[in-house]
Amino acid sequence: MTYTGFFQQYLGQDWGYFVATITLILLIALPVMLGVALAVYFDRKIWAAMQMRRGPNVVGPFGILQTFADAAKLFLKETIVPSGANKGVFIIAPMITFTLALIVWAVMPFDAGVVLADLNVGLLYIFAVSSMGVYGIIMSGWASNSKYPFLGGLRSAAQMVSYEVSMGFILVTVMLYAQSLNLSTIVLSQQGNILGFLNGNIFNPLLFPMFVMFFITALAETNRPPFDLPEAEAELVAGYQVEYSSMAFALFFLGEYANILFMCALTSVLFLGGWLPPVDWAPLYVVPGFVWMLAKMALMFFLFAWVKATVPRYRYDQLMRLGWKIFLPLSLFWVVVVSGWLMFTGHFASIPR
Amino acid sequence: MRRGGRTRRAPFRTAPSDLKTLVTAVFAFYLFAGIVLLSGAATILSKNPVHSVLWLILAFFNAAGLFILLGAEFLAMLLVIVYVGAVAVLFLFVVMMLDIDFAALRAGFVKALPVGLLLAVVLVSELLLVAGGSVRVVAGEAAAPLDGFVGMTNTQALGSVLYTKYLFVFQASGIVLLTAMVGAIVLTHRQRAGTKRQDVGAQVARTPASSISNVKPVSGEGVSL
């Protein structure tokens, strides 16, 4: 009995499908929102631990409800639309950021077969949605009709477009190994891929450099420190979100952290073997794949928080130099290296011609 | 586990076995096509150029929806990645940064009208020509794959044609794009005299020994460095 079949049995063919899909969407979106709340809390806790502070510790046990208190406070504030703002675009921009941050989860496999839409162009879908993410920021920056948001929006647009190019090439290297754009197939192709017992592209000497580069690119794509130039508080106050308050600001904040969590999940799927245990050993498969996936996401999120606490912010011209002059040539060269190696070792022999 | 495994196909790609699927497909087609037309009209009617670009992006996005309806998911994603994700961002960038004089734009309208009308007539006649020679496909039903491509995904089929049969044309179009890029850089790049360039290697290679020196200044004389 499939999940959809269960509903179709009681509600008929069409309504059963409809209700099943809606509940599945909620089953992904609500945990993502909860995950964002917890991620913000852990982010602050890790950051505090690095600086030998206590961090949030007042609301709830260990301060775990701090994010919910902050959210409740935000929702009760007044939404302010500046008089000089371009109202329609100003209001739509945070909605776009938030919606894109949620719909990208549709193709993420959490366990074998546990995926909302198993597209055979899943990786391209992710790439398309993340390349649209820049609009929320650039539109909010322009519509605010204020110089700091505008500068932040322009910076962010340039930054995200620059790093997307090398991210595309990094995805190509993984794609060449898996010979598929489907995320589930990419995960399954990593089963015992190294020496017959290690699961995960990260153990592959050819793909390990790509893992490091993907991590840095992900930092730049999600505007995380050390690449948080769009909202550099020292220069731009808070960048594109200066003029936003209340719910609109909360949507930006939620979208940003949902994107970070998604990048953690994507890194797990592409390089850490997704829902598979790190070693292809039967007793490890007793632990549900879902738990492995969450553990890998948590590990990646710890790395994100670690970098935020330890690395100083890049200067803008150096950010661009890193993206165009180092990452782009290196990732392009690595695509040639990987495809050459795969050609040499006969990896492509099974492809129909 | 649930959802009946991975072989489940998207609802629009299956043949319209019943009327409901057909109705859904037709409804989706008219939704996407209607939004494409409306946002296309809004693109040229908007007074604010930034709004024009935003409407254009909506048109691109819904055109991608039409591609998905045809079962061409690779083309749909490529349209979003290339046009929405890259080209339109640059449009938006330029339009936002430019200080556009709206009155001057309006003044040129009458003067440019004959050329515009001529272009419109050419484009419409081209569209009619294409429409005359097109193959009719039943709504909601993807066209049957050609021999030799059965069982392949769109991505595999496109790759196996582009990199074998049309390899030279494909590479030639790439060279045309490369030439355009090099040309644009050559035309716009200028060397300004007196700019200070940063040499990251030299910066990293600096050590305290080469940049710090201890001196004992004599009172009233100072130090010459």
Side-chain angles (χ1 to χ4, degrees):
Chain A
M1 174 71 71
T2 60
Y3 185 80
T4 314
F6 174 76
F7 283 94
Q8 281 175 337
Q9 168 190 353
Y10 294 106
L11 297 166
Q13 186 75 20
D14 296 331
W15 282 105
Y17 179 76
F18 182 73
V19 172
T21 310
I22 295 286
T23 48
L24 277 176
I25 291 171
L26 287 179
L27 270 178
I28 293 176
L30 294 180
V32 166
M33 290 291 91
L34 189 68
V36 164
L38 291 177
V40 175
Y41 167 75
F42 283 117
D43 201 18
R44 293 176 66 177
K45 269 291 189 193
I46 294 166
W47 207 10
M50 293 268 181
Q51 300 172 345
M52 298 178 79
R53 293 184 287 116
R54 283 183 193 281
N57 65 347
V58 175
V59 189
F62 308 106
I64 204 163
L65 297 178
Q66 180 66 47
T67 319
F68 297 96
D70 288 346
K73 193 192 85 172
L74 264 181
F75 294 160
L76 293 174
K77 296 272 180 185
E78 182 190 355
T79 307
I80 298 167
V81 181
S83 57
N86 200 310
K87 287 197 182 55
V89 181
F90 186 84
I91 291 168
I92 291 173
M95 293 182 192
I96 289 181
T97 302
F98 183 68
T99 314
L100 290 177
L102 281 188
I103 61 170
V104 73
W105 286 91
V107 293
M108 179 54 64
F110 295 97
D111 200 343
V114 183
V115 49
L116 178 61
D118 209 18
L119 297 183
N120 56 17
V121 286
L123 212 51
L124 279 180
Y125 173 82
I126 289 170
F127 199 56
V129 174
S130 81
S131 70
M132 282 171 63
V134 65
Y135 283 110
I137 290 174
I138 197 171
M139 279 166 74
S140 65
W142 177 78
S144 297
N145 199 8
S146 163
K147 62 183 150 204
Y148 290 133
F150 186 57
L151 285 174
L154 289 184
R155 272 186 182 191
S156 169
Q159 173 182 335
M160 290 170 92
V161 169
S162 310
Y163 278 85
E164 233 150 52
V165 185
S166 54
M167 181 181 251
F169 284 125
I170 296 169
L171 294 183
V172 167
T173 56
V174 176
M175 219 148 69
L176 283 170
Y177 266 96
Q179 293 187 18
S180 173
L181 288 163
N182 180 299
L183 290 179
S184 303
T185 317
I186 289 175
V187 170
L188 288 176
S189 77
Q190 296 175 40
Q191 186 160 20
N193 65 337
I194 305 301
L195 302 175
F197 68 94
L198 290 172
N199 296 337
N201 282 330
I202 189 176
F203 300 115
N204 186 334
L206 270 180
L207 285 180
F208 181 74
M210 288 297 104
F211 166 74
V212 176
M213 281 176 65
F214 186 80
F215 179 65
I216 297 172
T217 319
L219 289 175
E221 276 287 307
T222 51
N223 296 328
R224 277 288 281 195
F227 306 111
D228 58 341
L229 271 300
E231 44 190 291
E233 62 268 29
E235 305 141 44
L236 294 179
V237 193
Y240 60 92
Q241 51 197 6
V242 170
E243 305 289 346
Y244 282 89
S245 60
S246 180
M247 197 64 202
F249 173 76
L251 286 184
F252 273 125
F253 197 75
L254 288 171
E256 197 178 311
Y257 268 89
N259 264 331
I260 292 167
L261 281 187
F262 183 79
M263 278 300 170
C264 296
L266 187 60
T267 320
S268 317
V269 162
L270 292 182
F271 292 101
L272 304 181
W275 67 78
L276 302 169
V279 179
D280 199 16
W281 185 45
L284 288 179
Y285 285 93
V286 175
V287 180
F290 189 66
V291 176
W292 285 116
M293 182 74 187
L294 280 187
K296 285 167 183 176
M297 280 170 65
L299 175 73
M300 287 312 300
F301 187 78
F302 177 74
L303 288 183
F304 267 72
W306 189 3
V307 170
K308 176 179 178 170
T310 43
V311 182
R313 182 177 295 136
Y314 254 62
R315 211 174 59 202
Y316 193 71
D317 60 321
Q318 291 179 341
L319 174 89
M320 281 297 162
R321 182 180 156 273
L322 185 72
W324 287 108
K325 290 190 177 171
I326 299 176
F327 272 31
L328 180 60
L330 197 60
S331 54
L332 185 55
F333 174 67
W334 216 254
V335 169
V336 177
V337 168
V338 166
S339 45
W341 171 254
L342 291 178
M343 200 75 191
F344 181 67
T345 52
H347 189 73
F348 294 136
S350 62
I351 289 183
R353 279 161 213 280
Chain B
M1 189 168 162
R2 61 186 200 211
R3 314 265 312 160
R6 305 204 294 106
T7 51
R8 220 188 129 268
R9 303 173 75 189
F12 294 130
R13 303 222 29 210
T14 50
S17 53
D18 58 337
L19 194 65
K20 266 182 209 149
T21 319
L22 186 67
V23 168
T24 319
V26 169
F27 174 76
F29 171 77
Y30 280 110
L31 182 74
F32 287 136
I35 296 178
V36 168
L37 288 180
L38 282 180
S39 49
T43 305
I44 50 174
L45 292 178
S46 297
K47 287 182 178 166
N48 191 328
V50 174
H51 287 174
S52 282
V53 178
L54 293 177
W55 283 116
L56 183 67
I57 293 161
L58 189 65
F60 282 149
F61 192 66
N62 281 283
L66 286 176
F67 271 126
I68 287 186
L69 219 51
L70 284 172
E73 74 274 359
F74 182 76
L75 282 180
M77 294 303 149
L78 226 55
L79 186 73
V80 174
I81 291 170
V82 174
Y83 283 92
V84 179
V87 174
V89 170
L90 293 182
F91 280 4
L92 207 56
F93 218 85
V94 170
V95 166
M96 277 180 180
M97 301 275 268
L98 286 181
D99 190 19
I100 295 172
D101 187 2
F102 297 109
L105 274 179
R106 300 275 154 64
F109 180 73
V110 181
K111 209 169 71 180
L113 194 61
V115 184
L117 277 179
L118 186 70
L119 269 177
V121 168
V122 169
L123 282 176
V124 167
S125 50
E126 274 183 354
L127 276 179
L128 289 177
L129 277 176
V130 172
S134 66
V135 185
R136 286 188 73 93
V137 179
V138 181
E141 187 180 2
L146 297 172
D147 292 342
F149 298 109
V150 182
M152 274 191 192
T153 62
N154 268 317
T155 321
Q156 285 171 334
L158 271 174
S160 63
V161 172
L162 275 186
Y163 285 98
T164 52
K165 196 175 172 189
Y166 299 110
L167 178 69
F168 292 112
V169 187
F170 186 61
Q171 298 290 343
S173 61
I175 289 172
V176 169
L177 285 175
L178 181 70
T179 317
M181 193 175 80
V182 172
I185 292 172
V186 167
L187 286 177
T188 53
H189 186 73
R190 53 199 162 127
Q191 291 282 358
R192 266 167 288 184
T195 44
K196 288 186 177 173
R197 294 220 165 265
Q198 185 182 6
D199 186 356
V200 177
Q203 287 177 343
V204 173
R206 262 177 83 125
T207 56
S210 68
S211 44
I212 298 174
S213 60
N214 274 326
V215 287
K216 281 194 175 153
V218 182
S219 172
E221 285 181 20
V223 184
S224 63
L225 291 170

